Every structure is written in C-alpha cells, then in structure tokens.
Amino acid sequence: MNQAFLDYYRCPERFANFTPTAKRSADSGFFLFGKDVLCYGSNSAAFPAAAVRPNMYDALANVALGGASLQLPFDPTEITDNLRRERYLRNSHNGSAKISVEQALSGAYRVLRPALPFGLRRHLQKLYLRGRQEQRFPRWPVDRTVEDIVERLFVLALKAHAVDRIPFIWFWPEGAPSCAILTHDVETLRGRNFCSRLMDLDDSAGIKSSFQIVPEQRYSIPPSFLDSLRKRGFEINVHDINHDGRLFADQTVFLRRAEAINRYAKEFDAIGFRSGGLYRNPEWLDALEFSYDMSIPNVAHHPPLLHR
Ligand SMILES: [Zn+2]
C-alpha cells in the first residue's frame, strides 16, 4: 500500500504507514478521494461506481488516524497502477478490454487523415478537442490524479505523525522547479538524413534530445549513423519495430516481435522505447526490456488504440 507514495516522495519509510480499514471489494470502479480527485479501483467502504457520475462516494470520509498509521479504505498503489496500466478502460464485469466508439473513430481518423481536406480536418480536430476538455478521467490535457492523491496523503501523514514537515527527495536535479524532455521519432529515410541538422538545432538551444529509431524496414541503420548520435551526446531509443501499426494486434506476434525489439535495444544500447503511433497494451509491456517507456502519454492523454 505504501509503495506509490514512497516511489513519489522517496521519504523515510516510517512516514508511509498506510493500513487497510477493511477488506476491499473485488470489483473496481470510480470513487472520490476528496472533492475533485477521481480514483479508479477497489475500496472497502462502498460499491465503486461503474462510470463517472455526480455524487459519487468520497473515500476521504472513511480515512482514520490510528496511532502513527493512516487507515485507508483503498490502496493508493493499486489506484496508481490502475491509472498507469490504463485498467479503467476495462469492462469491470467481464474483464475484457472494451473499445469505445470514440476510440474506434479516432483510429479511423488517424488512418484517413492524410486523405482529408484541411478544412474538414480542422473541424474534426475541434470536435475532438471539445470532447477531450469535457472528459473527467483521466483529465485532459494534463492529468494530476497521482499528484493529487499523494499530496492529499502527504497532508494526512503530517497529521498522523503530528509533525509539520516530512523530508523527501526533490523531483528534479539541482532544485529545478520543473523539467522538459525533447524527443524525435525518426520515421523515414528523409528523417534519418535530417538527424545531423536536427542535432545542430538542438545543440544551438543547449538541448540534448533523444532519437527514436525504427529498427526494421523503414531505412538502413549504418553503425556510423548511431555513432554520430552517441558521440554528440544524444540518446538513442527503439521506436516500434517497423511502425506498421500492428505491434499490439496479436499477442503471439507481439511476443515474437518483442524478442527482436529487445535484441535491437542491446544492439543500439538503448534503454527507452516508444511504440509506433502510441498503439499500446500496457499489460503486455513487461515483455519489453527497457528502463522506461514513452508509449503512454501523461499529458494530452489520448486513448490507446487497442486492436482486437
Ligand atoms: Zn512514430
């Protein structure tokens, strides 16, 4: 129960002393943790709602301070994992992945986009964005669910321990208030040939970015090309396998491709991965041997285009 909080703050373990109030429901669903914080998962105090709706159960009402421990009707680590693995997309009754009409349309849009006239494209984008802004979970364009949960727990932990501060490790180096990353997906031969100019541009702004390389079919990858990125201090990541949009279409095919992707990771000396078109199935990503994944956006979130 304590892991998500400890991963976030990296504070002394004694401050993350969360215990369950009672056994939690087997079903997952939506509930609140304070007025504006939506959670998806199980809890022990009320039946979680199948969809986001007004007047949902608020778990904050059932938090109890017991000695130096904090009794919670839900597991913050489970809630965080459900969000990270996009489990809220699942139909809680049969456990199978469900594709909404919106997801299917957004998939069709991406395929048709190059053929659509500019005016129509703009109109469709506006409609899409309007729908996104009204979406309550995850929030668009920036979802702060995890931050909101851990910050609320932090305040409760201060009360439970009767202290006015808890030491923790700051999020960014040298006390920086925030952090940005710059990444380039190299999709075509033209793109590959432009990398040298792009490195010049990034260097002129003092930025060392990463380049996501498609290992198969798109363009050749001479060792001298990879060396040129490395020597200048830029990062190399693996981008899909051949960017055909079918990486997650079938689990057997995916696992076979994952083996090849892992081989390319070693060959490229790459520790990061991003799928083509951000197609994904978070439950399968464990087959990939990387330190980090960039297939699941945490800003301007858009739904995974799951294949069936
Ligand atoms: Zn791409």
Side-chain angles (χ1 to χ4, degrees):
M1 276 181 84
N2 307 332
Q3 203 53 48
F5 187 84
L6 288 170
D7 286 347
Y8 191 88
Y9 286 115
R10 290 180 290 163
C11 65
E13 280 189 33
R14 67 178 187 279
F15 292 110
N17 191 7
F18 309 129
T19 54
T21 357
K23 202 172 174 311
R24 290 191 306 276
S25 63
D27 276 321
S28 285
F30 294 94
F31 60 89
L32 294 165
F33 182 40
K35 210 164 91 9
D36 304 312
V37 185
L38 267 169
C39 300
Y40 177 84
S42 59
N43 77 68
S44 58
F47 198 73
V52 179
R53 54 170 169 74
N55 305 319
M56 274 188 304
Y57 160 69
D58 186 346
L60 196 55
N62 292 94
V63 173
L65 305 183
S69 91
L70 206 56
Q71 290 175 8
L72 302 173
F74 67 93
D75 176 352
T77 302
E78 182 213 312
I79 303 298
T80 305
D81 278 348
N82 286 346
L83 185 76
R84 185 157 48 196
R85 296 199 173 244
E86 301 182 311
R87 289 186 179 133
Y88 51 89
L89 292 164
R90 283 171 187 274
N91 177 328
S92 57
H93 297 293
N94 60 21
S96 67
K98 191 172 68 174
I99 304 177
S100 68
V101 174
E102 182 205 32
Q103 279 172 267
L105 285 177
S106 125
Y109 171 74
R110 281 204 236 172
V111 173
L112 292 173
R113 190 174 67 165
L116 297 176
F118 181 73
L120 179 60
R121 230 189 298 171
R122 282 290 299 269
H123 182 67
L124 289 174
Q125 276 166 354
K126 263 192 207 152
L127 282 178
Y128 179 75
L129 288 180
R130 200 179 303 155
R132 298 267 95 186
Q133 271 147 10
E134 283 158 13
Q135 178 185 306
R136 285 195 61 197
F137 189 87
R139 286 239 191 236
W140 196 95
V142 180
D143 183 80
R144 279 188 41 92
T145 302
V146 173
E147 283 77 8
D148 288 341
I149 291 173
V150 292
E151 282 168 16
R152 201 144 279 173
L153 289 172
F154 197 93
V155 173
L156 289 165
L158 286 171
K159 278 189 198 154
H161 291 268
V163 290
D164 60 6
R165 63 190 62 198
I166 292 173
F168 68 95
I169 294 177
W170 186 244
F171 309 106
W172 316 111
E174 294 160 27
S178 60
C179 158
I181 60 167
L182 181 63
T183 68
H184 306 292
D185 291 359
V186 183
E187 316 260 302
T188 60
L189 180 63
R190 242 179 102 198
R192 191 205 70 184
N193 293 340
F194 190 66
C195 286
S196 166
R197 289 268 318 278
L198 204 45
M199 282 191 283
D200 293 341
L201 281 170
D202 289 352
D203 265 338
S204 71
I207 295 169
K208 293 294 182 190
S209 54
S210 76
F211 288 78
Q212 282 66 245
I213 308 298
V214 183
E216 290 183 1
Q217 292 176 23
R218 287 298 184 104
Y219 41 79
S220 68
I221 306 166
S224 57
F225 166 66
L226 296 177
D227 272 350
S228 69
L229 295 167
R230 268 186 220 114
K231 272 193 190 127
R232 294 185 60 173
F234 290 83
E235 185 177 354
I236 298 166
N237 289 318
V238 179
H239 186 30
D240 207 272
I241 187 157
N242 58 7
H243 215 297
D244 65 354
R246 310 278 308 155
L247 185 56
F248 293 92
D250 172 275
Q251 194 169 12
T252 314
V253 177
F254 168 77
L255 290 173
R256 204 167 49 233
R257 286 177 163 200
E259 278 179 30
I261 288 171
N262 292 336
R263 277 200 303 276
Y264 287 116
K266 287 205 183 80
E267 199 182 309
F268 295 179
D269 206 9
I271 59 164
F273 176 80
R274 177 181 285 152
S275 64
L278 305 188
Y279 282 85
R280 60 194 182 268
N281 181 335
E283 304 291 354
W284 297 356
L285 285 178
D286 289 338
L288 298 175
E289 294 161 2
F290 290 92
S291 289
Y292 67 93
D293 167 75
M294 296 188 288
S295 314
I296 303 175
N298 64 344
V299 288
H301 192 97
H302 67 81
L305 296 157
L306 294 168
H307 292 280
R308 296 226 78 173

